[in-house]
């Protein structure tokens, strides 16, 4: 059997610790036997980032912009402990943050659904994808404590020095607190475009919700920007794809989501997305079954697993012990990226291979063979918890038969 050939290279971002170990296994056992892999390789492992003063991260993001699709392994975001462990020159920033800033992208988290692992909300039979606007609001706030008797105002000074003032509160009765937040039309517009692009790519409807009834200027601006961009740039494409965009109040969105069967993308403001993504991820079960895609407003895609480098397992592995680390989200990062590459380059065989890789993975779990984290959740009677190598071996076997 001849291997599937690729046209444009896929940007490959390698990473750290246990996920780096699994990365290599996935390539060797599940991909390279079938695909003549053409990747532009960037080593985002912490050592290489330190060696290159983190230029490698920037270069990998630039390459993603150039080629359009990347697949990324989980990476360490350094903290004080990592400074010593890796003898770092500097506490390098989170690669995900750097890449997101360069691509101006939005992160979409989507769970993988398998039989036997039922979400805490049993009606959620299809995935719910959360999109979080990752700019501004309380994450870039200015806060002050206010003494009793003081008066707090918002002042906006325009470029000519003219001031516009509005009273926040007269604190004559009690001391208190104030907070100033902002957002940018440009950032909201990028967020909206990324959301609409992703909905088209996934063939799923998208909701956006805020609190515009209370926040008549701030949240309302989000609602208006989404509506304007949808009407002028996406409505026709959505009609053609048979999907919809709809706006509702955040309270209503929460009520609807709980009653829904899933199968939607839910776009959230920064804080809502922070909270709701944790809630939805927990409800679906395992971190090892959560994928993550970063999409820029002009349709550049970077696929990864939502979890980290699984450090605790890595230290066991270093001591020569076997671990039962879940590779599923990382496999789906690869299948997602290869399918997207296949779509963009018109290589149906590559899309077909990506489908089969996912089918073999899900089929293996549904046959009862899975890693420990999944076995702890699965309701299958014949389930068996296995080491990562055995699990990958079982997927490889199944893939061969497809
Ligand atoms: P983590 O790597 O996601 O692991 C947290 C715990 O969740 C693990 O100890 C493990 O629990 C469980 N877990 C996560 N993924 C799993 C998998 N695939 N299979 C089995 N169990 C899994 O998060 P962390 O320990 O907070 O962070 C470790 C490193 O990852 C940090 O350096 C952090 O900066 C980095 N990180 C990177 C990304 C990214 O690149 N996108 C995201 C998050 C964190 P048990 O130990 O109980 O088995
Ligand atoms: Mg959170």
């Amino acid at each position: 059997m001849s291997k599937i050939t690729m046209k444009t290279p896929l940007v490959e971002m390698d990473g750290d610790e246990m996920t780096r170990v699994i990365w290599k296994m996935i390539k060797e056992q599940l991909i390279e036997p079938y695909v003549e892999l053409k990747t532009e390789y960037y080593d985002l492992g912490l050592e290489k980032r330190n060696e290159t003063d983190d230029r490698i991260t920037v270069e990998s993001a630039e390459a993603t912009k150039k080629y359009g699709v990347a697949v990324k392994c989980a990476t360490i975001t350094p903290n004080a402990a990592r400074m010593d462990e890796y003898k770092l020159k500097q506490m390098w920033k989170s690669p995900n943050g750097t890449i997101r800033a360069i691509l101006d992208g939005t992160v979409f988290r989507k769970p993988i659904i398998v039989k036997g692992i039922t979400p805490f909300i049993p009606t959620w039979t299809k995935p719910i994808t959360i999109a979080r606007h990752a700019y501004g609001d309380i994450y870039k706030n200015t806060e002050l404590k206010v003494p009793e008797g003081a008066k707090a105002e918002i002042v906006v000074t325009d470029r000519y020095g003219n001031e516009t003032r509005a009273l926040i509160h007269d604190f004559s009765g009690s001391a208190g607190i104030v907070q100033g937040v902002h957002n940018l039309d440009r950032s909201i517009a990028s967020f909206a475009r990324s959301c609409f692009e992703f909905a088209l790519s996934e063939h799923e409807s998208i909701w956006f919700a805020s609190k515009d009834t209370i926040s008549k200027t701030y949240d309302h601006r989000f609602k208006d920007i989404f509506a304007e961009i949808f009407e002028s740039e996406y409505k026709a494409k959505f009609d053609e794809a048979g999907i919809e965009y709809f706006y509702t109040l955040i309270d209503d969105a929460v009520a609807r989501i709980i009653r829904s069967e899933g199968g939607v993308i839910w776009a959230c403001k920064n804080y809502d997305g922070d909270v709701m993504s944790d809630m939805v991820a927990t409800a679906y079960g395992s971190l090892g079954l959560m994928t993550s895609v970063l999409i820029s407003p002009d349709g550049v895609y970077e696929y990864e697993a939502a979890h980290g480098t699984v450090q605790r397992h890595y230290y066991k592995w270093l001591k020569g012990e076997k671990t039962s680390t879940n590779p599923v989200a990382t496999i789906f990062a690869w299948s997602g990226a290869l399918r997207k590459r296949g779509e963009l380059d018109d290589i149906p065989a590559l899309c077909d291979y990506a489908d089969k890789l996912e089918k073999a993975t899900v089929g293996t779990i549904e046959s009862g063979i899975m890693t420990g984290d999944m076995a702890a959740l699965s309701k299958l009677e014949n389930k068996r918890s296995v080491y990562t190598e055995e699990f990958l071996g079982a997927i490889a076997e199944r893939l061969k038969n497809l």
Side-chain angles (χ1 to χ4, degrees), residues 109 132 139 273-278:
R109 283 175 128 206
R132 172 181 173 187
Y139 302 87
D274 184 350
V275 178
M276 292 305 164
S277 64
D278 286 330

Side-chain angles (χ1 to χ4, degrees), residues 17 72-77 82 96 287-288 304-313 324-327 373:
E17 300 193 311
K72 180 180 170 290
C73 180
T75 46
I76 292 169
T77 297
R82 302 293 197 172
N96 288 47
L287 246 187
E304 67 170 326
H307 59 76
T309 59
V310 213
Q311 184 181 18
R312 200 180 63 83
H313 295 212
S324 187
T325 315
N326 187 344
D373 59 314

